[in-house]
Amino acid sequence: MRVLLQLWTMAALNNSRRFLIAPTEAGLSEAAALLRRGELVAFPTETVYGLGADATNVEAVLNIFKAKGRPLTDPLIVHVAQAADAESLVELQEEERKVFHTLANTFWPGPLTQIVKASARIPAPVTANTGFVGIRVPKHRLAKALLERAQVPVAAPSANRFGHVSPTRAEHVLADLAEKHVMVLDGESVESVVPSDPCQFGIESTVVKLERDTKELLIFRQGAVTQSELEDAFRREGITWGIRPVLRTVKMHSTAEPEPSEDATAVPAHETAETPMEPQEGQVAPGQAVTHYAPDIPCFILRGIGDNAAPAEATADRRVFDLSLADMQNKVVLVDFNGQYANWQARVFAYRDLSAAGDASEAARGLFDTLRWAEQVAGAQYVLIAPVLHTDDVIAAAKTVTDISLGVADRIYRAASGVSAVVVVR
């Protein structure tokens, strides 16, 4: 059955290529005109592909939520061509202004999103009705060229089905959204008038929120910009604000599917922020859903296998699998990191190492493509993915980790809905 589904998917993908826009001068002009007319256009950035719409057009913005099946409690990030374009979209108090501009001057263009109070130009759905908006200036040259031609701020979450693996190639977008007739600016085309490295970081931007009252910078989502880099930027400019991660895992459900009758849109499964959230309350930052970036077959963080499996009891966030070697060879896709489980390569159904050298940047670039590959392995029933970090104390790790490891670990955690697995092989 899965083989037939894959054949159908390949045929559908070939048919969907009519939705690709070549990254030529004419193609960029076409994509920009579509955005100005209130249409949706997916485009590459240095993080992942975004599903863009004019951020000031409420109908266009609502079409993003509709196309993705995204709940209105999950806000959108607004992309602009240059930092000056953000000024009319936000309201900055004096205490925030130096912080905002320091971050903009240091990390823009690039994979950092700043959340501040939105101006009246930003429709409420962009902010999930919180009044706060995330803004960033992308580094990707095609994204910048598109924004310059469109002459409108562009709201753009990842261009995929809500909760599914994020797209890092045009074909990923087509696989998820072609049925919605979304046009896609093709970042991999050799016709590009703007040579660029599509999705060079491979995971979404770091998201921070400026908290004027407490003089803190809160890290709501880990990404390529690390806490140590943020602290260095503050130190150089004499900014004394504190910086700390906020760990949130919120239950959210796609609006394209029937929702459960209880706790329908936003109830915390695990919450370390000081103020608990109310059901269906809008989030100030994207990327907080406990199930996010997830493949279409069950995915687990692998905490031990065979002889390496320490005795463990099943809990709400840990499964214990008792599998035969035949089960391993016929059902399990193993996604490794740094060769932790290389000795199992020939004993599982399919195997891929995100980085045999243990390079977190390499792992980030290939993570989402690998998860999409894993869900397409015909007959596979489980994805087991090795951890990138061997600690549960993310707040402590954030003070010392100087690469993209925390961002990769966050995506793996949410792809697995926070559930790990210990595998006993008999």
Side-chain angles (χ1 to χ4, degrees):
M1 183 67 181
R2 187 181 291 272
V3 173
L4 291 175
L5 179 60
Q6 287 179 325
L7 290 173
W8 179 88
T9 300
M10 290 175 62
L13 183 60
N14 288 332
N15 185 51
S16 68
R17 294 191 181 281
R18 68 185 187 277
F19 298 115
L20 288 177
I21 300 175
T24 59
E25 286 293 349
L28 282 166
S29 296
E30 176 190 355
L34 288 170
L35 288 170
R36 287 193 299 272
R37 292 205 303 266
E39 302 293 333
L40 303 184
V41 176
F43 61 97
T45 76
E46 71 276 19
T47 59
V48 300
Y49 269 77
L51 179 59
D54 179 353
T56 63
N57 182 330
V58 67
E59 183 177 351
V61 166
L62 289 173
N63 282 336
I64 291 178
F65 291 93
K66 186 182 301 182
K68 283 177 59 72
R70 184 185 182 96
L72 290 169
T73 52
D74 202 7
L76 307 178
I77 292 172
V78 175
H79 300 68
V80 292
Q82 56 186 349
D85 296 338
E87 294 290 339
S88 67
L89 305 176
V90 301
E91 293 181 3
L92 296 174
Q93 300 297 320
E94 191 58 37
E95 302 95 315
E96 301 168 307
R97 195 168 296 279
K98 182 176 181 180
V99 173
F100 184 87
H101 289 297
T102 292
L103 295 176
N105 292 337
T106 306
F107 300 107
W108 285 356
L112 180 72
T113 295
Q114 300 192 62
I115 299 174
V116 292
K117 186 174 177 55
S119 77
R121 289 193 66 199
I122 299 296
V126 173
T127 76
N129 287 301
T130 65
F132 292 91
V133 64
I135 301 278
R136 87 176 185 97
V137 178
K139 181 181 180 181
H140 194 281
R141 294 174 66 186
L142 261 183
K144 180 177 173 62
L146 176 61
L147 291 167
E148 288 174 344
R149 287 162 175 77
Q151 291 293 296
V152 294
V154 174
S158 56
N160 58 330
R161 289 182 279 117
F162 179 74
H164 193 220
V165 183
S166 297
T168 53
R169 298 207 306 246
E171 69 181 62
H172 297 163
V173 183
L174 295 176
D176 276 17
L177 298 178
E179 65 179 21
K180 306 294 184 181
H181 294 185
V182 171
M183 301 302 294
V184 183
L185 186 62
D186 187 358
E188 292 80 66
S189 172
V190 295
E191 299 179 69
S192 181
V193 294
V194 184
S196 55
D197 182 8
C199 304
Q200 69 178 94
F201 293 108
I203 63 173
E204 294 81 356
S205 63
T206 300
V207 175
V208 298
K209 183 175 186 288
L210 282 64
E211 286 286 355
R212 174 173 53 89
D213 292 342
T214 59
K215 291 183 169 51
E216 286 183 301
L217 189 71
L218 303 182
I219 305 174
F220 274 90
R221 185 173 73 189
Q222 301 288 343
V225 177
T226 66
Q227 180 169 334
S228 62
E229 290 175 312
L230 295 167
E231 289 171 343
D232 287 345
F234 277 13
R235 193 177 302 113
R236 287 194 298 269
E237 296 299 320
I239 296 172
T240 58
W241 282 30
I243 301 176
R244 65 180 176 92
V246 174
L247 308 181
R248 299 167 83 89
T249 52
V250 180
K251 290 182 181 178
M252 290 187 180
H253 303 280
S254 170
T255 56
E257 301 170 352
E259 296 195 9
S261 58
E262 296 180 354
D263 304 334
T265 54
V267 183
H270 168 69
E271 174 61 78
T272 58
E274 294 180 1
T275 305
M277 293 174 296
E278 295 296 327
Q280 302 190 31
E281 179 183 338
Q283 306 302 299
V284 295
Q288 310 302 296
V290 66
T291 300
H292 214 27
Y293 326 111
D296 287 335
I297 58 176
C299 179
F300 303 92
I301 305 166
L302 186 55
R303 296 297 186 186
I305 185 171
D307 295 338
N308 294 324
E313 293 184 0
T315 63
D317 58 3
R318 181 176 61 219
R319 303 287 188 270
V320 178
F321 291 115
D322 185 3
L323 301 176
S324 67
L325 186 56
D327 289 332
M328 297 294 293
Q329 292 173 332
N330 295 312
K331 298 178 180 180
V332 172
V333 176
L334 178 53
V335 178
D336 206 354
F337 175 73
N338 198 26
Q340 295 173 66
Y341 297 100
N343 60 321
W344 281 91
Q345 181 171 359
R347 292 183 284 173
V348 293
F349 194 21
Y351 174 95
R352 185 178 288 186
D353 196 321
L354 292 171
S355 173
D359 183 332
S361 294
E362 181 184 7
R365 286 192 297 272
L367 176 62
F368 291 147
D369 186 62
T370 297
L371 288 176
R372 284 179 176 262
W373 160 79
E375 71 181 10
Q376 291 296 318
V377 174
Q381 295 186 22
Y382 308 105
V383 177
L384 303 179
I385 183 165
V388 172
L389 291 177
H390 293 275
T391 178
D392 293 325
D393 191 348
V394 175
I395 292 178
K399 298 179 183 298
T400 57
V401 171
T402 57
D403 62 16
I404 202 170
S405 295
L406 279 173
V408 179
D410 172 78
R411 303 318 186 272
I412 291 173
Y413 177 86
R414 296 177 194 273
S417 302
V419 181
S420 63
V422 173
V423 181
V424 178
V425 181
R426 48 184 163 79

